[in-house]
Amino acid sequence: MTSEPVTPAQSGAAPDLVELAKIVARQRAEMDRLRDQAAVSAVVERAKGAVMALTGCSADAAGEQLLQRAKSARHTLLEECWITLGTLAPMPSGPGRASESYGLGAAGWAGALEEQGVPDDVTAALARLGQALVRVMTPHDLARCLLEHLGPDMSADAVLIYARRSDGGLGLIGHAGIDDELAAQWCRVPPLSGMAALDALRAGEPRWLEDFAADERRYLLIGDPPDRWRSRAWLPVLAAGSAEVCIGVLRGRAGAFTPRDRTHLRGVTGLCAGRLRGFEIPPERDADAATDAVQALFEALPVAAMLLTPLRSATGDTEDFRVEAATTQVGDLLGRTGEEPAGRRLLELRPALTAEPLWQGCLQVLATGTAYEGEPFAHEEVVAGVAELSVYTARVAPLGDALVVSWIRHGSSDRQEQRLADLQRLGNLGWASWNLATQEASWSTQVFSLVGRDPAHGPLPLPEVPELALPEDTPALTRAIGELVHEGRPFDMPFRIRTSGGIRHLRLVAEAVADRYGTPVEVHGFVQDMTARRRAELALVESERAILTQHDVLQAERTLASRLQHALLPMSKRPVHLAGLRVEVAYLPAQSGVHVGGDWFSAIELPDGDALLVVGDVAGHGVDAVATMAQLRFTAKGMVITGSSLTGALARLNTLLLHSRDSHTTATMVLARYEPRRRRLVWAQAGHPPPLLLRDGEARYLRRPGGMLLGASATPVYQEAECRLDPGDRLILYTDGLVEHPPDSIDRGLEQLAEAVAAPHGDGPGSLGPLLARMLPDVRRDDVCVVDVRVPGVQDR
């Protein structure tokens, strides 16, 4: 066997699963090849040993003889080995026949085939069958193998394999293409005339049933209905000059078997002779009056049963059991539908039985003499063509030195009782009843478990049931029981009890049965454990209460933050004029959530006549974000008014955030200064989207200078950029709430903003309205802040 190392696609990556699957597939194929090779070698060695035993030659000479035979007959070596094993090995013999019989029947048949001339495609097909036979382990496997081989070649629909029984009848040892019910009906064929399979065995020649109407008058045909198969062939398997096994090939289509088909089928039976001998089908026991009487008795039993005798090893240990007699149902329960268990080894019928409780039960009964009864188990069986699940219990009883194994099928009442027990267990409830006339009470086992009462103490009378409850629940339960007993009023009452595991919440539902005078005489009800449900309800109430409390707190915080924000960001309802610019601002809070964000703006005229335009966004929401926003807004204005450069102001604001109470606070910002004399705009940014410039109907974003997020680094670098604003230009400063709308990317939002700004618009005071309506969704998830700057045109001056 070879293997290849599995190498990951890259360092640290998982192995390539596709390559791994290919390696596993190759290894499995190699294992199958080696297994087949070993099986082929075993067949060849057995054939060589048979030739050596018959002729007295050496192993090499036997091998050479097999090769020469195969070459002259145009066979593969494996085919020749199968034919040789079928020729030399004795088939099971019945009374009055020799126990050892050797001859050249199969070899003669092979010679006859050679004389007829075998078509090349048949030769190739037989070679493939010879190879496939090495994987066949049972007669059932052989039937399936033949059906796979003959189905495509000659439209075969079913294959049956019969072996001759000691009484002259037939026993079905293998089948494929028929259902288990039909196999069970035809598992034993009495020695009657009019059976094509028996006729073929007695004559030693195939029987070709190719005219259904004529065949139906002559033979008893297998099938339900018989016309299911319109043509059939029954071929005896010749070995040592006789035939003890017959193979049936059944076809749904009518018509004759062609000469090629007949040659093919004769070659198939020649190969199967050796394979059938390899199964070592046990000979039937000699019939006597005692065994016949026992088998007749078992066949009359209405249950599945079998009689076993132990088979012991040299050390005296029981290594298997022999089935002395069995009912017809046993084969189905052992997984061998249609087979005859009597006379066979138990482990031959079911090899996996040693791992099942029944095997240990048999050994236990054999050792102790005490009967054994197993646990109920489910078994699927076919009743009237319909699969049905039944429940069985296996029992083993001693009978002298033998064992009687029986399977008891539980009736519907047993299954109903089991379902009721399952229902009580899964529903965590139990039933209870009280007879008011006799004062008798009856509880199911589950009720004792629910109330924590020892079943040995018996159930409580109905008037004493309230004593189980906690003192605070006792009066209500007592009153409900009194109304039920005296007035017949049913109730559904929750109550609590104290157990070793703590408080348990129970529910008692009861109703009364009255006599003909209307007097309650009996009470029926059930007790259910509601502890898990009650705990879940209480947890849900607490969770809802906590959510409402938190919501109130958050709403109060939102109100406070909103008021603080409005106080810090006074909004003008009309555009303002600064340094020759017309400036319009808009602030829209988020509509989802209860927090207020930290978006802000500033638009003022400086003492030297320049205009300061600022837009910023503080990470987070709530009062803390509003407080940080106010701190940045007023500090930035103060620094620029007192002479700080834009980049210097950003550096100092970064230091301010790093040393604030919350070291994790960050913010983005755009600072812009406009000089009206030169119409020069100088601006710097800290991790913020760039302003959008509209000129002559074309919108473009300004190239961003270097600058990182405020509060992100102790050594940031900020740069300035400048541009000239011409008459009629429009400049948009904004926060990310305007362009970021998941699941769309922010790049898509920036494209939409440029398209919206470039669209035809008016210059009135409300010109921001259409832009915002086009850009914003119905529900805003973030705050939006926009500063709209217009440079008046020549005609506006």
Side-chain angles (χ1 to χ4, degrees):
M1 184 183 303
T2 61
S3 63
E4 299 178 8
V6 180
T7 306
Q10 57 185 358
S11 179
D16 188 334
L17 296 182
V18 175
E19 290 301 322
L20 183 59
K22 291 180 180 178
I23 293 173
V24 172
R26 286 198 296 270
Q27 291 178 338
R28 286 178 176 173
E30 180 68 10
M31 290 182 64
D32 291 341
R33 187 188 67 80
L34 293 175
R35 190 182 295 113
D36 289 349
Q37 182 178 344
V40 169
S41 298
V43 173
V44 173
E45 292 302 318
R46 285 174 54 198
K48 289 167 61 178
V51 174
M52 292 168 61
L54 183 63
T55 63
C57 66
S58 65
D60 292 340
E64 183 62 27
Q65 189 176 139
L66 289 171
L67 285 173
Q68 291 301 324
R69 287 183 185 176
K71 183 176 180 180
S72 62
R74 295 177 60 203
H75 295 157
T76 64
L77 176 61
L78 189 57
E79 287 182 87
E80 187 62 35
C81 290
W82 285 128
I83 295 172
T84 300
L85 289 174
T87 302
L88 302 176
M91 297 295 289
S93 58
R97 291 193 296 271
S99 60
E100 297 288 339
S101 175
Y102 297 98
L104 295 176
W109 195 346
L113 291 177
E114 183 179 356
E115 292 176 2
Q116 296 173 9
V118 181
D120 292 340
D121 59 335
V122 173
T123 301
L126 292 176
R128 291 194 298 271
L129 176 61
Q131 185 68 37
L133 289 178
V134 301
R135 293 188 292 272
V136 170
M137 295 292 110
T138 67
H140 279 297
D141 293 342
L142 177 59
R144 285 190 288 268
C145 178
L146 292 180
L147 184 59
E148 293 174 1
H149 177 75
L150 299 175
D153 187 83
M154 60 183 70
S155 302
D157 295 306
V159 171
L160 281 71
I161 304 177
Y162 277 103
R164 194 194 301 265
R165 294 170 50 84
S166 59
D167 60 1
L170 297 178
L172 184 64
I173 62 173
H175 62 82
I178 67 171
D179 54 57
D180 292 339
E181 183 179 6
L182 186 61
Q185 293 175 1
W186 292 89
C187 65
R188 298 181 66 181
V189 177
L192 301 175
S193 60
M195 290 297 301
L198 271 173
D199 193 10
L201 281 178
R202 290 166 180 165
E205 290 291 337
R207 289 293 178 259
W208 309 100
L209 281 63
E210 301 165 325
D211 183 344
F212 180 78
D215 296 334
E216 190 176 25
R217 292 191 297 270
R218 180 181 180 187
Y219 293 114
L220 178 62
L221 300 181
I222 295 175
D224 186 16
D227 61 358
R228 175 180 174 183
W229 296 293
R230 307 290 298 185
S231 59
R232 311 159 191 242
W234 290 97
L235 301 101
V237 179
L238 298 178
S242 64
E244 301 298 323
V245 176
C246 188
I247 297 177
V249 179
L250 288 66
R251 301 191 303 184
R253 67 177 178 88
F257 289 86
T258 65
R260 174 196 174 281
D261 291 341
R262 297 189 178 198
T263 301
H264 190 174
L265 289 175
R266 285 191 173 96
V268 167
T269 56
L271 294 180
C272 290
R275 179 68 276 181
L276 284 165
R277 176 55 189 161
F279 298 143
E280 298 182 354
I281 302 173
E284 295 188 43
R285 294 165 298 164
D286 294 334
D288 54 38
T291 56
D292 287 345
V294 172
Q295 182 60 43
L297 172 63
F298 270 73
E299 289 178 355
L301 293 177
V303 298
M306 61 182 177
L307 178 65
L308 303 179
T309 56
L311 300 177
R312 305 185 186 276
S313 64
T315 60
D317 297 329
T318 301
E319 61 181 10
D320 203 346
F321 292 91
R322 182 184 180 89
V323 182
E324 300 294 343
T327 61
T328 55
Q329 304 97 312
V330 168
D332 181 55
L333 287 169
L334 293 177
R336 312 289 289 207
T337 302
E339 297 187 32
E340 175 60 49
R344 303 178 67 178
R345 288 173 174 255
L346 184 58
L347 294 184
E348 175 191 349
L349 293 168
R350 191 178 181 89
L353 189 65
T354 54
E356 299 178 11
L358 179 59
W359 177 262
Q360 297 301 324
C362 291
L363 298 180
Q364 173 186 327
V365 174
L366 200 62
T368 64
T370 304
Y372 162 84
E373 181 170 335
E375 295 291 331
F377 65 93
H379 173 73
E380 186 178 89
E381 53 192 359
V382 178
V383 179
V386 179
E388 182 179 285
L389 198 63
S390 301
V391 178
Y392 284 87
T393 297
R395 298 175 180 174
V396 184
L399 182 64
D401 294 333
L403 300 178
V404 176
V405 181
S406 60
W407 287 269
I408 306 301
R409 186 175 185 268
H410 296 282
S412 59
S413 59
D414 299 325
R415 294 197 296 271
Q416 191 69 21
E417 184 176 345
Q418 182 62 40
R419 290 169 183 165
L420 180 59
D422 293 339
L423 176 63
Q424 294 182 80
R425 176 177 52 84
L426 297 174
N428 213 2
L429 55 82
W431 58 264
S433 63
W434 293 270
N435 190 310
L436 302 180
T438 63
Q439 302 303 315
E440 294 179 349
S442 178
W443 288 1
S444 68
T445 305
Q446 193 73 9
V447 175
F448 287 98
S449 176
L450 293 178
V451 301
R453 182 176 175 82
D454 189 347
H457 297 157
L460 282 175
L462 186 58
E464 298 180 16
V465 169
E467 298 176 4
L468 296 172
L470 295 181
E472 50 267 38
D473 294 343
T474 300
L477 187 57
T478 302
R479 183 167 56 255
I481 292 177
E483 293 175 350
L484 174 67
V485 172
H486 296 100
E487 304 174 17
R489 183 179 300 172
F491 66 83
D492 185 341
M493 178 66 62
F495 65 98
R496 295 167 296 171
I497 65 173
R498 189 181 302 276
T499 66
S500 57
I503 300 298
R504 181 176 292 174
H505 296 263
L506 300 180
R507 171 194 181 199
L508 175 59
V509 179
E511 64 178 5
V513 179
D515 60 13
R516 60 179 178 173
Y517 303 107
T519 303
V521 294
E522 198 167 40
V523 172
H524 302 294
F526 67 86
V527 181
Q528 185 176 16
D529 188 355
M530 307 293 289
T531 305
R533 177 176 175 180
R534 183 58 179 161
R535 288 174 179 170
E537 291 174 349
L538 293 175
L540 180 60
V541 170
E542 290 297 326
S543 177
E544 291 177 347
R545 185 178 301 165
I547 290 173
L548 290 175
T549 301
Q550 183 67 16
H551 184 272
D552 292 341
V553 171
L554 294 176
Q555 193 62 44
E557 181 180 336
R558 177 181 176 86
T559 301
L560 174 61
S562 180
R563 290 178 180 176
L564 180 59
Q565 189 178 55
H566 283 299
L568 296 174
L569 290 176
M571 294 289 297
S572 174
K573 297 182 179 180
R574 303 179 61 183
V576 296
H577 296 273
L578 304 174
L581 301 175
R582 191 187 75 172
V583 180
E584 185 179 354
V585 297
Y587 173 79
L588 300 173
Q591 293 175 308
S592 61
V594 296
H595 288 302
V596 176
D599 290 19
W600 55 280
F601 68 90
S602 184
I604 63 171
E605 188 169 311
L606 300 176
D608 58 3
D610 292 353
L612 177 65
L613 306 171
V614 187
V615 169
D617 185 1
V618 176
H621 296 81
V623 175
D624 290 340
V626 174
T628 303
M629 174 269 289
Q631 190 179 32
L632 293 177
R633 182 172 186 266
F634 291 114
T635 303
K637 289 197 300 184
M639 289 181 180
V640 175
I641 290 174
T642 57
S644 293
S645 65
L646 300 183
T647 56
L650 289 177
R652 291 181 178 85
L653 291 174
N654 180 74
T655 303
L656 179 65
L657 280 187
L658 288 175
H659 294 83
S660 64
R661 290 178 302 168
D662 186 359
S663 59
H664 300 292
T665 300
T666 59
T668 66
M669 183 184 299
V670 168
L671 281 174
R673 184 167 186 157
Y674 176 69
E675 301 178 19
R677 294 176 299 278
R678 295 188 292 172
R679 294 201 302 273
R680 175 173 173 263
L681 180 75
V682 180
W683 67 288
Q685 62 87 27
H688 201 87
L692 176 64
L693 176 64
L694 176 66
R695 175 174 294 168
D696 298 330
E698 180 181 355
R700 66 179 179 88
Y701 289 97
L702 301 182
R703 184 183 299 275
R704 289 202 315 171
M708 64 192 320
L709 196 70
L710 296 177
S713 172
T715 57
V717 176
Y718 298 103
Q719 298 175 346
E720 292 182 350
E722 65 175 80
C723 72
R724 179 183 176 85
L725 296 183
D726 295 336
D729 284 353
R730 183 181 183 186
L731 188 71
I732 304 293
L733 286 74
Y734 54 91
T735 57
D736 57 1
L738 183 66
V739 294
E740 192 170 15
H741 308 298
D744 293 338
S745 66
I746 192 172
D747 291 336
R748 177 56 185 154
L750 292 172
E751 293 175 2
Q752 292 175 341
L753 177 59
E755 294 170 359
V757 170
H761 58 278
D763 291 331
S767 60
L768 260 182
L771 174 64
L772 296 176
R774 182 171 179 176
M775 287 298 300
L776 299 179
D778 295 336
V779 178
R780 295 185 298 277
R781 302 173 58 179
D782 197 2
D783 296 358
V784 176
C785 187
V786 181
V787 175
D788 186 2
V789 180
R790 307 289 186 96
V791 181
V794 177
Q795 66 276 18
D796 298 327
R797 294 174 180 249

